[in-house]
Amino acid sequence: MFLQTAIFRAVEQGQVDFIYHLFKVYPGFEIQDGKGKTVLPYAVECRQAKIFNLLLRMLKESGRTLILIPDTFNNSILHSAANLSANLNHIQGAALQMQSELQWFKEVESNLPVMASELMNNTDRMTARELFTKNHKELVKEGEKSMKATATSCTVVGALIVTMMFAAAFTIPGGNIQDKGYPTFLGMLTSRYSEEDFLKSLPTKMIFGLFTLFFSIAAMMIAFSSALILMLDKQSWIVFPTILLATLPIASFVWMQFPLLRDTCISTYGPGKLGKK
């Protein structure tokens, strides 16, 4: 009992060295919790990618195949990946949390035989994919709200930039969607929000939207500063403080939104949950 608790606690905390030495000394060692769940699906449930990779590699090195032994309730390893992670607080925003969960599920699925996606558990009579949809229903809704809120706030800033740079333009280029009044150049506001869209489509639109917004802000500040310098050529004591004051709110907005752009880029085009794409 003590050994069982220690091993599962080590998996939960991501103690890779402990697990490595344990299974190096006892290659065929198997231990289960009270529900019949072994170490590998527990590592999947705890989102411990390094331990999952380690166990898969050690199985291959020993010449053994990955056997899909379900637990007492007929839950497979993929069912463990379908559970909502309890450790999502380190990821910024519900949209990126949903993307992270999707990436984890798909990468675990890619390492398992096809039959894993067809196995139904006993408690819900669901496949792993159906269980994933059930467990992440609320997160999808929160992700939709998060993305729409970000898109709306960026739309307001974009509208201000257009108004300042093109004084003659009283509407945003492209016009407005008449029934809702949303600008047409930000597709996130009118996109569908299914589970799969959080994997690539929506994050890509977010990246493109934030990047073009930052570029527009930089162009606006260059134009504003150049015009001010030309008009007040010999009054630098007015020019530079004015530019500095005008830059402060812009800089604060960029400072708040840039981490979102960085995290979205890394999450979408980075190495993936298991260290590969």
Side-chain angles (χ1 to χ4, degrees):
M1 186 65 182
F2 175 77
L3 180 61
Q4 178 194 63
T5 304
I7 291 174
F8 280 94
R9 183 66 61 83
V11 172
E12 185 179 339
Q13 296 178 356
Q15 300 293 332
V16 181
D17 291 339
F18 177 83
I19 300 298
Y20 172 77
H21 290 295
L22 175 68
F23 285 92
K24 197 71 174 176
V25 176
Y26 303 103
F29 181 73
E30 287 291 343
I31 190 169
Q32 299 178 350
D33 65 3
K35 299 178 181 178
K37 184 175 293 182
T38 58
V39 172
L40 189 59
Y42 191 67
V44 170
E45 186 175 313
C46 295
R47 306 303 192 256
Q48 292 295 342
K50 290 182 179 179
I51 293 180
F52 181 73
N53 277 331
L54 170 68
L55 295 176
L56 284 183
R57 189 177 75 247
M58 295 183 78
L59 280 172
K60 291 178 182 178
E61 289 175 354
S62 63
R64 291 181 294 161
T65 56
L66 180 60
I67 302 174
L68 298 176
I69 302 176
D71 63 14
T72 307
F73 304 103
N74 210 42
N75 289 299
S76 67
I77 296 176
L78 201 55
H79 281 94
S80 297
N83 291 325
L84 181 64
S85 173
N87 188 28
L88 290 173
N89 293 332
H90 66 286
I91 301 175
Q92 179 183 358
L96 290 184
Q97 290 175 358
M98 184 61 200
Q99 184 193 41
S100 175
E101 288 288 272
L102 265 172
Q103 288 174 338
W104 179 256
F105 182 85
K106 287 187 173 295
E107 292 199 33
V108 171
E109 185 180 35
S110 67
N111 285 279
L112 301 177
V114 179
M115 65 181 73
S117 59
E118 301 171 355
L119 186 67
M120 285 189 176
N121 62 8
N122 294 334
T123 51
D124 303 292
R125 300 303 302 165
M126 289 182 175
T127 63
R129 182 67 207 198
E130 292 169 342
L131 185 63
F132 182 92
T133 300
K134 174 188 174 184
N135 290 337
H136 292 79
K137 190 179 296 183
E138 292 302 318
L139 189 59
V140 169
K141 293 179 182 178
E142 291 300 319
E144 179 179 351
K145 291 179 184 177
S146 173
M147 278 209 157
K148 284 187 175 181
T150 302
T152 302
S153 64
C154 291
T155 299
V156 173
V157 176
L160 291 174
I161 292 173
V162 171
T163 303
M164 291 176 65
M165 297 302 293
F166 304 97
F170 294 98
T171 58
I172 297 173
N176 292 328
I177 300 173
Q178 297 302 317
D179 58 341
K180 296 182 180 179
Y182 291 145
T184 59
F185 69 89
L186 272 179
M188 284 182 293
L189 287 167
T190 54
S191 295
R192 65 173 190 166
Y193 286 83
S194 65
E195 286 178 7
E196 293 295 327
D197 291 329
F198 283 93
L199 196 60
K200 279 279 187 179
S201 176
L202 291 171
T204 300
K205 289 178 181 178
M206 178 73 79
I207 291 169
F208 180 75
L210 288 173
F211 177 78
T212 53
L213 180 62
F214 291 162
F215 183 81
S216 300
I217 289 173
M220 179 192 69
M221 291 308 302
I222 291 171
F224 173 75
S225 302
S226 300
L228 206 60
I229 290 171
L230 288 173
M231 286 189 299
L232 303 173
D233 187 24
K234 297 181 179 179
Q235 301 182 54
S236 58
W237 64 277
I238 297 178
V239 173
F240 293 109
T242 303
I243 293 174
L244 181 62
L245 289 172
T247 303
L248 287 177
I250 299 295
S252 65
F253 176 81
V254 173
W255 180 74
M256 287 187 292
Q257 295 296 339
F258 182 77
L260 177 61
L261 175 61
R262 179 199 61 208
D263 293 344
T264 307
C265 287
I266 293 173
S267 180
T268 306
Y269 300 106
K273 295 300 174 186
L274 300 181
K276 57 184 180 180
K277 271 293 184 187

